[in-house]
Amino acid sequence: MEKVRIGIIGLGNMGSSHTKNIKDNKVPGLELGALCDISEERREWAQKNAPGVAVFANAADMYKSGLIDAVLIAVPHYDHPQLAIDGFAHGLHVLVEKPAGVYTKQVLEMNAAAEKSDKLFCIMYNQRTNPVYQKVRDLVQSGELGEMKRVVWIITDWYRPQYYHDSGSWRSTWEGEGGGTLINQNPHNLDLLQWMLGMPKRLRSFCSFGKYYNIEVEDDVTAYLEYENGASGVYITSTGEAPGTNRLEISGDMGKIVVENNTLTFHRNRISEREHNLTNKLAFARPEAWKCDIPVDHSGGEQHVGIMKNFTKAILNGEKLLAPGEEGVFGLTISNAIHHSTWTDSWVELDSFDHDHFYELLQEKIRNSTVEKKEVVQKVADVAGSH
């Protein structure tokens, strides 16, 4: 195989952007084989902007067409797993937009289908291409930061006005999106959290629902995390603060890492705090620390194009995937656990998370929704990548 023919399902914000990037030859070895959307308007857009590329009204026909080797799924959250499962059943490689799904139960079914398949499975965790977060992961996992003690991530720069929430009948509802800021704005951050530091052991959360807006889902979240080694963490996010903050601080025996404004600073202890604690003989002495501005590329990396390049090279040349699709369940488990903890007013153990109970509680939220039911014709919008 010299080229990978890819089909894109969902031509909203992200789907149309992916279409343009591929059409503009930004991804060597990847070419448009077909496009698909249930909206006649979006199909007309596809015919105008990608002339000569087959356009389908439903995924099943595109899967059966023989025109594609892989599929990129960029549709509303709830539909990701089933479309991926169907793609594997038709012998296709699968690249799915974030999040992997809305609830872990369906994502585990998707992962099982991927495991049975001999095809590659990737997720659009484009923030993993950011050199700053790659360096943080390296500093943590190489042991240079030492034993982790605490992580604090404040992400309150996701401000959205009421008009945003009112822009689609599916938006900011349990039925349409399956949540608020955790499922829409935060999937990348939750993935990076576990990618850099590993999964928390348990958490306790406090979510506010419709605190700042006329919506039924969460718009303000504070979660307390505990890790296997005893380290603790606080994760704070909101769509209701302006101008907001995005600051990540990770403390360890060898100092602390601070990420803000896409720059990385390492306040590096010359010796481990634990060693200093045992050997120092002065009452108020601290370990000598150096402020090191880590030289990294601040461009943000190749983002979506970078993930598509990696996916294509993995298919053609066996390159290792940067964002294996099976890992999508990790960040989603944290997201679901935050909801579950608030709903049940209790701690949640992540390694024994009750996937079935979460699903039951989510269905209860949908049944008891006070949002007026509307025709969900706007679901063709690309919620998966809309941020």
Side-chain angles (χ1 to χ4, degrees):
M1 185 186 296
E2 295 182 357
K3 284 195 172 184
V4 177
R5 303 169 302 164
I6 196 164
I8 299 178
I9 306 175
L11 302 175
N13 292 337
M14 287 313 306
S16 58
S17 176
H18 298 324
T19 298
K20 187 177 187 303
N21 284 332
I22 297 169
K23 183 175 176 293
D24 292 346
N25 298 313
K26 292 185 179 180
V27 187
L30 190 64
E31 65 179 23
L32 286 174
L35 297 169
C36 176
D37 201 298
I38 61 174
S39 164
E40 182 177 357
E41 178 185 352
R42 299 313 297 163
R43 293 197 299 274
E44 290 175 355
W45 176 92
Q47 291 165 348
K48 178 180 178 181
N49 289 274
V53 177
V55 180
F56 294 88
N58 66 77
D61 288 342
M62 187 179 78
Y63 285 165
K64 298 173 185 175
S65 68
L67 297 173
I68 60 174
D69 309 301
V71 60
L72 196 169
I73 298 168
V75 299
H77 311 142
Y78 276 108
D79 298 328
H80 291 183
Q82 190 56 56
L83 285 171
I85 291 169
D86 293 344
F88 290 125
H90 284 85
L92 301 173
H93 302 286
V94 174
L95 171 57
V96 64
E97 263 290 354
K98 64 84 190 169
V102 173
Y103 51 93
T104 52
K105 184 177 180 179
Q106 64 173 178
V107 172
L108 291 172
E109 293 171 356
M110 176 173 63
N111 285 358
E115 185 176 2
K116 292 178 182 177
S117 169
D118 62 350
K119 302 301 178 182
L120 289 178
F121 182 29
C122 182
I123 187 167
M124 191 64 81
Y125 278 147
N126 47 283
Q127 284 299 321
R128 292 192 184 189
T129 72
N130 188 325
V132 170
Y133 293 121
Q134 290 179 346
K135 180 57 70 173
V136 171
R137 184 174 191 260
D138 175 55
L139 290 171
V140 171
Q141 298 199 356
S142 68
E144 195 160 348
L145 183 63
E147 186 82 358
M148 186 176 76
K149 294 182 175 181
R150 188 185 312 278
V151 56
V152 178
W153 203 346
I154 303 172
I155 316 164
T156 57
D157 59 346
W158 286 121
Y159 181 75
R160 297 292 185 270
Q162 184 67 45
Y163 185 83
Y164 167 86
H165 299 291
D166 294 341
S167 63
S169 61
W170 43 267
R171 197 182 289 283
S172 305
T173 65
W174 295 116
E175 183 177 35
E177 288 196 274
T181 185
L182 287 172
I183 205 70
N184 197 328
Q185 285 80 34
N186 279 263
H188 288 301
N189 305 100
L190 293 172
D191 171 63
L192 289 172
L193 186 72
Q194 67 81 27
W195 187 60
M196 295 184 295
L197 308 179
M199 288 289 284
K201 177 179 173 58
R202 66 174 190 159
L203 62 79
R204 180 71 174 89
S205 68
F206 305 89
C207 299
S208 295
F209 304 91
K211 180 178 183 179
Y212 299 114
Y213 307 102
N214 182 27
I215 58 176
E216 63 182 4
V217 294
E218 80 284 350
D219 54 9
D220 189 79
V221 174
T222 300
Y224 174 75
L225 318 171
E226 289 187 353
Y227 289 82
E228 188 69 42
N229 72 337
S232 62
V234 180
Y235 187 87
I236 300 170
T237 189
S238 176
T239 55
E241 297 181 27
T245 297
N246 190 333
R247 178 184 171 91
L248 170 64
E249 184 172 310
I250 308 167
S251 301
D253 285 345
M254 293 302 299
K256 71 176 181 180
I257 292 170
V258 178
V259 177
E260 194 166 17
N261 299 320
N262 207 40
T263 62
L264 172 57
T265 305
F266 184 11
H267 299 264
R268 182 179 181 275
N269 293 336
R270 290 198 68 190
I271 64 170
S272 161
E273 180 279 325
R274 292 288 81 191
E275 180 183 349
H276 174 84
N277 181 65
L278 293 173
T279 59
N280 167 66
K281 302 302 180 183
L282 298 175
F284 298 101
R286 301 185 182 199
E288 181 182 348
W290 297 344
K291 181 181 178 182
C292 306
D293 294 321
I294 306 298
V296 292
D297 178 0
H298 301 298
S299 67
E302 289 192 293
Q303 296 292 319
H304 301 93
V305 168
I307 292 294
M308 287 192 287
K309 283 182 177 180
N310 172 242
F311 180 59
T312 303
K313 289 178 182 178
I315 295 171
L316 296 178
N317 307 318
E319 182 172 292
K320 184 179 179 180
L321 286 174
L322 176 61
E326 293 86 353
E327 294 182 6
V329 74
F330 299 140
L332 184 63
T333 298
I334 300 174
S335 174
N336 283 184
I338 291 174
H339 274 141
H340 193 275
S341 174
T342 296
W343 291 342
T344 60
D345 193 22
S346 64
W347 285 89
V348 174
E349 303 286 336
L350 274 76
D351 58 359
S352 58
F353 183 61
D354 193 335
H355 308 284
D356 290 325
H357 189 230
F358 174 82
Y359 176 74
E360 292 169 5
L361 292 176
L362 177 60
Q363 298 310 303
E364 182 180 327
K365 294 292 181 184
I366 294 172
R367 288 192 302 270
N368 295 333
S369 172
T370 58
V371 174
E372 180 183 355
K373 304 303 179 191
K374 302 176 183 178
E375 291 295 323
V376 195
V377 294
Q378 295 178 77
K379 282 186 69 176
V380 296
D382 192 358
V383 181
S386 64
H387 294 295

